Amino acid sequence: MKSIRSKLLFSYLLVLLVGVAVTLLSVSFTSRFAYNRQMMGGPEGMHTGQQLNPLPQQRAQMQFTNFRVAVLESLGYAVLAASLVAVLVSIFLSERIVSPLRMMTRATGRIAAGHYDERIGVDGEDELSQLAGSFNQMAGQLELTESMRRRLIGDVAHELRTPLTTIKGSLEGLMDGVLQPDAETYSQILEESERLGRLVDDLQELSRVESGAYTLDRQPVDVAALAATAAKRLARQFDEKRITLSLSLPADLPPLPADEDRILQVLTNLLNNALQYTPASGSVTVSAQKNAEFVQFSVQDSGAGLSPADLELVFTRFYRVDKSRSRQAGGGSGIGLTIARHLVEAHGGRIWVESPGVGLGSTFYFTLPRSR
């Protein structure tokens, strides 16, 4: 039985059948005793005080009365026995049905107390088993969310500690006279302050996109012009690092219903990532192709490349491919790709990355639908 409805129907029928069976058995066992006691006056004969030779009409009335009393007495025993057995069977069946709910109640209390590893054993395919499976899925998601929250707090603390430590060290050096109050020292403090400000801005943006606390202003967008704007915005950084940035966009790209600022942010984040992980004299190419349903963009670089394990985690917040690479060395905040993923998915698109291996470059792809 794969549904609660069938189990309840079966339990009702079972209680009914058990009651009927016990009633029949009780009647069969108690009928002779009741007959002898009421009709024959006990094992030895008729009731004491009855007339030895009653009239035929009186005899018939007495027989009917005694028969009715015997039947009612036998049925009374049968109903009592059937009720007792039916109650026991009902308790047994209801316990089988209610016990999973009790388990879920206890598990809910433990999860409310912070024990997110609580799970319920799933046995069967009925609605309660499906509910238990959904409960386990919810508990697993809560456990993952709690783990991500704790990791996020640790990551944020670590990311904030680095520039704060540098600023504090520089100020202590100035106060102790170890560092000279010159333009280089002040420039270092200003640089770390700006890095701290950028990190706070990234965290605020990440909080908004992950919670969906923003609206998309969808308008027909010329994505070719948008890609050119993103490339122009970062042209100086690419030139300073001697990285060739090129655009390979077809002239007939259709306008897309998108939020221009958000898609510009996606392209900027992807280009920033390529800039950080592509060595000098490398190349980065932005291209696009269309089909009937969507336009697919790609940002291809000749940089550090990714291992298969990195491909699964590169869009995770604060994740860095090179663990030894510091933010000061250009590793970024580790949030840009996470923000890009959320923005693309909010538009109904998809984002992913492919790489032939470490040191062989990588290509980030994302799609935008041609209609809402």
Side-chain angles (χ1 to χ4, degrees):
M1 293 175 288
K2 297 184 178 180
S3 67
I4 293 295
R5 179 183 301 175
S6 60
K7 285 187 174 182
L8 290 175
L9 178 60
F10 173 76
S11 64
Y12 296 153
L13 290 176
L14 183 59
V15 171
L16 178 62
L17 292 175
V18 169
V20 171
V22 172
T23 300
L24 293 176
L25 289 173
S26 298
V27 168
S28 65
F29 281 112
T30 61
S31 59
R32 180 172 296 276
F33 168 76
Y35 178 83
N36 289 334
R37 206 161 68 86
Q38 299 297 334
M39 299 293 293
M40 305 300 294
E44 291 131 7
M46 297 183 64
H47 289 300
T48 304
Q50 285 186 342
Q51 298 180 12
L52 295 178
N53 296 305
L55 296 176
Q57 185 177 1
Q58 293 176 332
R59 184 184 299 113
Q61 182 64 32
M62 290 172 55
Q63 287 178 347
F64 173 74
T65 301
N66 292 337
F67 173 76
R68 184 175 61 180
V69 172
V71 170
L72 292 176
E73 182 179 350
S74 179
L75 284 177
Y77 291 130
V79 169
L80 181 61
S83 299
L84 179 60
V85 173
V87 167
L88 294 177
V89 172
S90 299
I91 291 175
F92 173 76
L93 293 176
S94 62
E95 185 66 24
R96 292 287 302 273
I97 296 176
V98 172
S99 58
L101 296 177
R102 291 177 178 170
M103 292 174 58
M104 276 184 273
T105 301
R106 290 194 294 268
T108 302
R110 286 185 56 80
I111 287 180
H115 302 281
Y116 298 105
D117 57 342
E118 187 72 17
R119 297 294 184 273
I120 300 175
V122 179
D123 183 17
E125 300 180 7
D126 59 14
E127 288 85 352
L128 286 178
S129 299
Q130 295 173 11
L131 178 60
S134 299
F135 181 91
N136 290 338
Q137 183 178 3
M138 179 199 68
Q141 189 62 41
L142 287 174
E143 184 178 16
L144 177 62
T145 301
E146 177 64 13
S147 175
M148 293 177 63
R149 184 188 68 84
R150 292 176 180 176
R151 186 175 62 185
L152 175 60
I153 292 175
D155 289 339
V156 170
H158 174 74
E159 297 300 325
L160 293 175
R161 186 182 298 112
T162 302
L164 287 174
T165 300
T166 303
I167 293 173
K168 179 182 177 182
S170 298
L171 292 176
E172 289 177 347
L174 288 172
M175 294 175 62
D176 295 339
V178 177
L179 295 179
Q180 296 298 321
D182 53 18
E184 181 181 356
T185 301
Y186 292 131
S187 176
Q188 182 181 9
I189 296 175
L190 178 61
E191 182 180 350
E192 293 299 330
S193 300
E194 292 175 345
R195 181 175 290 110
L196 186 61
R198 288 194 299 270
L199 177 58
V200 172
D201 292 340
D202 287 344
L203 289 172
Q204 289 178 335
E205 182 66 19
L206 177 64
S207 175
R208 283 195 294 267
V209 299
E210 286 193 330
S211 62
Y214 65 95
T215 57
L216 295 178
D217 183 18
R218 295 178 185 262
Q219 301 291 337
V221 175
D222 184 349
V223 289
L226 206 62
T229 300
K232 183 178 180 180
R233 178 179 292 182
L234 297 173
R236 183 177 62 83
Q237 290 93 318
F238 276 90
D239 291 341
E240 290 177 352
K241 203 172 177 180
R242 301 192 306 278
I243 298 174
T244 303
L245 175 60
S246 58
L247 301 178
S248 178
L249 303 171
D252 58 345
L253 281 178
L256 298 178
D259 187 314
E260 182 174 354
D261 292 335
R262 297 299 183 179
I263 298 305
L264 179 61
Q265 186 177 5
V266 171
L267 288 168
T268 302
N269 288 354
L270 293 179
L271 287 175
N272 257 320
N273 180 77
L275 175 65
Q276 304 298 342
Y277 288 96
T278 301
S281 302
S283 63
V284 175
T285 303
V286 180
S287 58
Q289 59 182 13
K290 63 177 182 177
N291 62 23
E293 298 181 357
F294 56 82
V295 174
Q296 176 177 299
F297 298 87
S298 64
V299 178
Q300 183 178 14
D301 63 67
S302 59
L306 297 168
S307 67
D310 292 327
L311 294 177
E312 301 294 330
L313 300 172
V314 71
F315 292 102
T316 304
R317 64 170 78 96
F318 295 115
Y319 183 79
R320 283 181 293 177
V321 175
D322 186 357
K323 307 301 186 297
S324 63
R325 188 170 185 168
S326 65
R327 305 298 186 206
Q328 293 84 345
S333 65
I335 298 177
L337 293 180
T338 307
I339 294 175
R341 183 192 65 187
H342 284 284
L343 293 178
V344 169
E345 291 176 352
H347 281 81
R350 188 169 70 93
I351 188 169
W352 71 99
V353 60
E354 296 177 0
S355 175
V358 177
L360 300 176
S362 58
T363 304
F364 285 82
Y365 299 91
F366 72 95
T367 61
L368 293 176
R370 297 183 60 171
S371 60
R372 294 188 59 176

